Amino acid sequence: MKINYDLKFKEELEKIQGRPTLLLHVCCGPCSGNVIKELIEYFDITIYYSNSNIYPETEYQRRYQELVHFIEQFNQDYHQNIQVIEKKYEPIPYYLDISFYKNEPEGGKRCYFCYKKRMHDAYLYASLHHFDYWTTVLSVSPHKNSQWINEIGGTYPIDKTQFLFSDFKKNNGYLKSVRFADQYHLYRQNYCGCVYSYKEMLEREKNKEKNKEKK
Ligand code: SF4
């Protein structure tokens, strides 16, 4: 049975007193902008960029630089002091763990383990640095499985830091993110991140070209 994680999120917000700290794992600027804008009402946010899935490294750097630039601008516009923490780019251990599922389509088990790896890094950082809460923006994408993301988050103990259940794609979250990203003229990539999704994107592009030629 599907759990309404958006409802759980709202219930948690109602309990909040003061301004807790939140470590927010983000995959890129476009996905995170509107989520950050909505969360700053409640939390002191620190961004955590842990995305060793991204292929190639030039693309990883491009998304990272775009995010940093966006946050600088956002801090000015919204009078914030949000910091961006980068987890070292380590694609080799990432791919060693994930390659077993390389033939799974996007949305399959490969993605489950990909969420898990990146979220695990975020949890470790949040617990080590005593954040009140931690979560990820991954659920904002319609291609990401919010049930899995929250199930993974819910497996971690809450004595040091608490996972913030959420489903950011609800309440038109994705559309709002796209609009917000456009407002900041953010670069929007055309594939999710890993080498497998990169190849799938190339295949899609090739098929598009073929179809054009047929017309
Ligand atoms: S498609 Fe995206 S979520 Fe799935 S494994 Fe690749 S990078 Fe990770």
Side-chain angles (χ1 to χ4, degrees):
M1 196 185 71
K2 279 194 174 179
I3 295 177
N4 185 340
Y5 287 107
D6 182 51
L7 186 65
K8 274 178 97 85
F9 171 70
K10 286 172 181 154
E11 285 169 357
E12 192 62 34
L13 291 186
E14 277 177 20
K15 288 187 217 157
I16 285 177
Q17 291 176 346
R19 271 185 80 75
T21 53
L22 169 71
L23 186 77
L24 181 65
H25 165 260
V26 315
C27 51
C28 60
C31 282
S32 57
N34 188 67
V35 174
I36 297 169
K37 184 176 76 117
E38 292 184 357
L39 290 175
I40 55 170
E41 279 190 42
Y42 304 92
F43 301 97
D44 279 340
I45 297 176
T46 300
I47 302 294
Y48 192 64
Y49 188 78
S50 164
N51 297 301
S52 291
N53 55 319
I54 300 173
Y55 172 88
E57 187 170 357
T58 47
E59 176 69 17
Y60 169 89
Q61 289 299 346
R62 185 175 187 185
R63 294 187 197 183
Y64 175 64
Q65 293 306 333
E66 188 76 358
L67 172 72
V68 169
H69 184 249
F70 161 65
I71 294 294
E72 281 168 7
Q73 195 63 51
F74 183 91
N75 278 340
Q76 277 181 26
D77 295 348
Y78 288 84
H79 311 291
Q80 297 291 307
N81 186 25
I82 297 172
Q83 306 292 312
V84 179
I85 309 290
E86 181 193 17
K87 162 103 175 33
K88 195 173 165 221
Y89 181 59
E90 292 175 315
I92 293 172
Y94 169 83
Y95 281 104
L96 279 176
D97 285 353
I98 222 86
S99 61
F100 187 74
Y101 302 101
K102 66 180 178 192
N103 294 324
E104 291 268 338
E106 183 167 347
K109 269 191 192 158
R110 180 182 90 205
C111 297
Y112 177 87
F113 287 99
C114 178
Y115 308 157
K116 202 170 170 183
K117 282 190 77 63
R118 291 184 281 162
M119 289 173 69
H120 184 67
D121 293 336
Y123 165 75
L124 289 181
Y125 192 91
S127 57
L128 192 66
H129 294 86
H130 312 289
F131 280 83
D132 298 312
Y133 290 92
W134 70 284
T135 196
T136 174
V137 299
L138 287 173
S139 68
V140 79
S141 162
H143 303 295
K144 302 282 188 304
N145 185 323
S146 305
Q147 297 292 311
W148 280 354
I149 290 165
N150 285 285
E151 275 165 32
I152 294 166
T155 62
Y156 287 93
I158 56 166
D159 52 335
K160 292 190 181 138
T161 181
Q162 184 177 337
F163 181 69
L164 182 65
F165 292 102
S166 46
D167 190 352
F168 295 120
K169 68 171 75 56
K170 295 285 179 194
N171 315 302
N172 283 327
Y174 180 66
L175 187 63
K176 286 183 202 161
S177 286
V178 171
R179 287 193 183 139
F180 198 73
D182 286 347
Q183 225 176 293
Y184 278 82
H185 307 290
L186 296 182
Y187 155 66
R188 268 216 310 269
Q189 59 273 4
N190 60 354
Y191 67 102
C192 185
C194 64
V195 66
Y196 314 116
S197 63
Y198 178 76
K199 285 180 184 166
E200 285 160 7
M201 176 274 289
L202 292 180
E203 200 56 36
R204 274 197 307 273
E205 295 296 313
K206 215 164 75 186
N207 288 338
K208 255 193 235 166
E209 283 308 310
K210 269 190 202 160
N211 288 339
K212 263 192 219 161
E213 281 165 20
K214 274 187 204 162
K215 280 180 189 171

